[in-house]
Amino acid sequence: QKEVEQNSGPLSVPEGAIASLNCTYSDRGSQSFFWYRQYSGKSPELIMFIYSNGDKEDGRFTAQLNKASQYVSLLIRDSQPSDSATYLCAGNSGGSNYKLTFGKGTLLTVNP
Amino acid sequence: NAGVTQTPKFQVLKTGQSMTLQCAQDMNHNSMYWYRQDPGMGLRLIYYSASEGTTDKGEVPNGYNVSRLNKREFSLRLESAAPSQTSVYFCASSELEGPLDNEQFFGPGTRLTVL
């Protein structure tokens, strides 16, 4: 069973701090990884994706991928209360560009 | 553009009843997906359609059938609903811009309760 593992949290950070969300995956065939944000009662929305080793930055968000360690992370700088949500990590199933395997999500709370 | 739309938003069924969840997208995407989301289980793929005319099983297909009616529409059918199918169902669509890019756009979800 190919798995994507996330710490379910909750992760609580003060406003303005850096929030660090982590994800590990078991499928070495997975090539690309996606971070989705899901507000309570809403549908997931994509924040960013990454497929190369290293860092990828987009505004306050930085995704990091380490294929050797099978580890993906998302850093949120200058966290805001509006960032409070569940963050879902997903990886494409090796051999298929269409199938995404999602982690169970990490609940982030940013305290004013 | 409405993006991905789903109907109904809420539904309550009795065990053994059947129903069809409807999904439509107006982004001209080739690929469409059905997921279910249960507390503590994350999103799990039920079926997907890589392109019009094709459908494939995902992680949890048992108890479901799908129809890719045309490029815009992808429906999910429960032939004989069971309490274990109580869940939130999300439809999604994507256009693979490259071999590594599968940004999926999600509909608002259908909250289904089976009594």
Side-chain angles (χ1 to χ4, degrees):
Chain A
Q1 179 74 12
K2 311 297 185 185
E3 292 186 343
V4 174
E5 302 280 351
Q6 293 182 257
N7 187 327
S8 62
L11 174 65
S12 183
V13 301
E15 183 174 355
I18 296 175
S20 178
L21 302 157
N22 305 315
C23 172
T24 60
Y25 61 95
S26 63
D27 184 358
R28 285 200 172 272
S30 296
Q31 296 177 293
S32 51
F33 300 88
F34 303 81
W35 282 102
Y36 282 83
R37 177 176 60 200
Q38 186 175 25
Y39 292 113
S40 181
K42 302 296 185 182
S43 56
E45 55 180 342
L46 184 72
I47 299 173
M48 60 193 308
F49 71 94
I50 186 168
Y51 53 83
S52 298
N53 266 332
D55 296 358
K56 179 180 179 181
E57 188 174 316
D58 184 0
R60 296 186 297 113
F61 299 95
T62 298
Q64 300 174 316
L65 174 60
N66 184 324
K67 292 185 179 180
S69 300
Q70 296 178 249
Y71 178 87
V72 190
S73 66
L74 179 70
L75 300 178
I76 307 175
R77 289 182 299 281
D78 188 24
S79 295
Q80 301 296 310
S82 58
D83 294 326
S84 297
T86 295
Y87 289 79
L88 303 170
C89 173
N92 71 319
S93 296
S96 170
N97 292 337
Y98 299 99
K99 293 183 181 180
L100 292 186
T101 300
F102 282 82
K104 296 178 182 179
T106 298
L107 176 63
L108 172 67
T109 301
V110 181
N111 301 305
Chain B
N1 287 351
V4 180
T5 57
Q6 293 182 237
T7 55
K9 286 186 169 52
F10 300 92
Q11 184 70 48
V12 179
L13 293 178
K14 294 181 180 178
T15 297
Q17 288 185 316
S18 62
M19 79 161 295
T20 300
L21 280 64
Q22 305 286 354
C23 174
Q25 52 92 8
D26 63 2
M27 295 175 283
N28 202 35
H29 287 167
N30 278 313
S31 304
M32 298 185 73
Y33 313 81
W34 277 106
Y35 292 91
R36 60 178 289 174
Q37 187 173 38
D38 303 296
M41 295 295 292
L43 280 163
R44 293 182 292 171
L45 182 65
I46 305 172
Y47 271 94
Y48 69 99
S49 171
S51 60
E52 187 179 355
T54 69
T55 60
D56 283 287
K57 295 178 180 179
E59 182 184 352
V60 288
N62 291 345
Y64 305 95
N65 285 301
V66 291
S67 295
R68 183 72 183 269
L69 304 170
N70 47 57
K71 191 172 184 178
R72 290 187 64 249
E73 299 172 289
F74 189 38
S75 63
L76 178 72
R77 183 160 178 84
L78 287 70
E79 290 291 352
S80 179
S84 61
Q85 294 178 303
T86 294
S87 188
V88 180
Y89 291 85
F90 287 104
C91 177
S93 72
S94 70
E95 185 65 34
L96 271 65
E97 298 293 342
L100 300 174
D101 177 7
N102 186 2
E103 178 181 0
Q104 297 186 12
F105 295 83
F106 285 80
T110 294
R111 284 151 182 78
L112 175 67
T113 301
V114 183
L115 302 175

